[in-house]
Amino acid sequence: MDFQPTQDQRNLRAGVRDLLEGRYGREALRASVDSGTAVDRGLWRELGAAGFFALRLPESEGGVGLGLPEAAVVFEEAGRALVPGPLVATHLAAGVVPGAAAGTAVVTAFDLGGDLVAYLGEADAVLGTDGLPEGAPVRAADPLTPLHRVRRRGGAAAPGVGSVYGAAYVAEGALLTAALQVGSALRTVELAVRYAGEREQFGQPIGAFQAVKHSCAQMLVRAEVARTAVYAAAVTGEPGEVAAAKLLADEAAVRGARDCLQVYGGMGFTWEADVHLHLKRAWVRAEQWRTAAEAEELLAAELLDSAELPDPAELPDPAG
């Protein structure tokens, strides 16, 4: 059995990368940060026209007719480019919310649990609910992930992820978010390696020093292990593998951005460097659809269910 990407999947990756590099390169990213534009409606429509949101819809319904493995590849590229907006929610809403598939509607979701909703001010709909709930803006770590705190009627707290969406929605949302994290993790590896080759200290590039080499190597290992887990989970769709993929991808993205920041040194702490944007986005995504604690609980439950426990009648009598 061959688990390598097919030629069609490689072509899909290349096409999405070309689209995003031309439409949402670094200059566009920094312009979004400076202007506070969290969702570019023009870009959203272009993504819709390219089939980003309708990727898994059947062709009979106007979609592309591909599967979760292809979606993972596409979302990885979006994560690499740090494209902001509720990409996962709008993708899941294709075929459910009018305009989502074509990118003419922006759909967010209760994917953070509790009473926080991302992109509520930019959204046309919230997945799984009627109308847009009222919310008050709150300060967010990521400048391109605005947050609102919402309350339900009667003052009750907003529903959590599991109480609003079924297991399939949560699993798919977690997997696609993991793919975004993998793309970001791989991008921070590229940034760290490039900077380590350019920045000189003591007459040589800092990448020549063993400590920097080890840091970059560890970043790459974490990112590639997470990528493998995401691809495997996209093929099998098993809940445990999806949970493991999200767990590994969150770690790769957060720790990768932190290590990249260390390679950059003092420059990494400046607003001009892009490293902090990857770190802040990784923090947010780690809380979306399935947290580390939730993934660990799911994996522990699966391990317990699969364990062959002895029959109590066959155990020796402790009394002798």
Side-chain angles (χ1 to χ4, degrees), residues 145 219 298:
T145 307
M219 290 170 63
L298 191 152

Side-chain angles (χ1 to χ4, degrees), residues 20-21 24-25 29 76-84 183-184 187 278:
L20 294 178
E21 286 180 347
Y24 200 75
L29 170 64
E76 181 185 321
E77 288 303 313
R80 180 180 181 275
L82 270 187
V83 177
S184 179
R187 180 58 178 159
H278 283 275

Side-chain angles (χ1 to χ4, degrees), residues 16 58 60 98 140 144 159 198 200 207-208 237 245 261 263 311:
V16 174
S60 60
L144 293 181
E198 296 172 350
E200 291 191 1
L261 191 148
V263 171
D311 186 341

Side-chain angles (χ1 to χ4, degrees), residues 130-255:
D130 296 327
L132 288 172
E134 295 182 359
V138 297
R139 188 173 181 180
D142 178 13
L144 293 181
T145 307
L147 299 175
H148 282 72
R149 191 178 304 279
V150 303
R151 304 290 291 183
R152 295 168 69 186
R153 291 184 179 88
V161 177
S163 62
V164 178
Y165 310 115
Y169 259 148
V170 174
E172 290 177 1
L175 180 62
L176 295 176
T177 304
L180 291 171
Q181 292 281 60
V182 166
S184 179
L186 289 167
R187 180 58 178 159
T188 56
V189 175
E190 296 173 7
L191 292 173
V193 170
R194 185 179 67 188
Y195 189 80
E198 296 172 350
R199 177 77 167 90
E200 291 191 1
Q201 191 62 262
F202 304 111
Q204 58 183 325
I206 62 172
F209 299 110
Q210 192 175 56
V212 177
K213 289 180 182 179
H214 285 180
S215 183
C216 291
Q218 289 166 354
M219 290 170 63
L220 179 61
V221 169
R222 285 194 297 266
E224 288 294 347
V225 168
R227 175 193 251 176
T228 301
V230 168
Y231 287 0
V235 171
T236 66
E238 293 292 329
E241 295 200 11
V242 172
K246 181 63 161 57
L247 200 60
L248 290 168
D250 287 343
E251 180 186 27
V254 172
R255 292 187 61 185

Side-chain angles (χ1 to χ4, degrees), residues 280-303:
K280 292 168 182 175
R281 188 73 57 82
W283 280 336
V284 174
R285 288 175 180 154
E287 300 299 318
Q288 289 181 305
W289 293 106
R290 179 167 286 140
T291 65
E294 292 166 346
E296 289 167 351
E297 287 294 331
L298 191 152
L299 288 170
E302 282 204 352
L303 287 172

Side-chain angles (χ1 to χ4, degrees), residues 252-275:
V254 172
R255 292 187 61 185
R258 284 175 172 169
D259 287 349
C260 181
L261 191 148
Q262 292 298 321
V263 171
Y264 268 63
M267 179 60 70
F269 289 89
T270 64
W271 185 258
E272 289 73 17
D274 294 341
V275 185

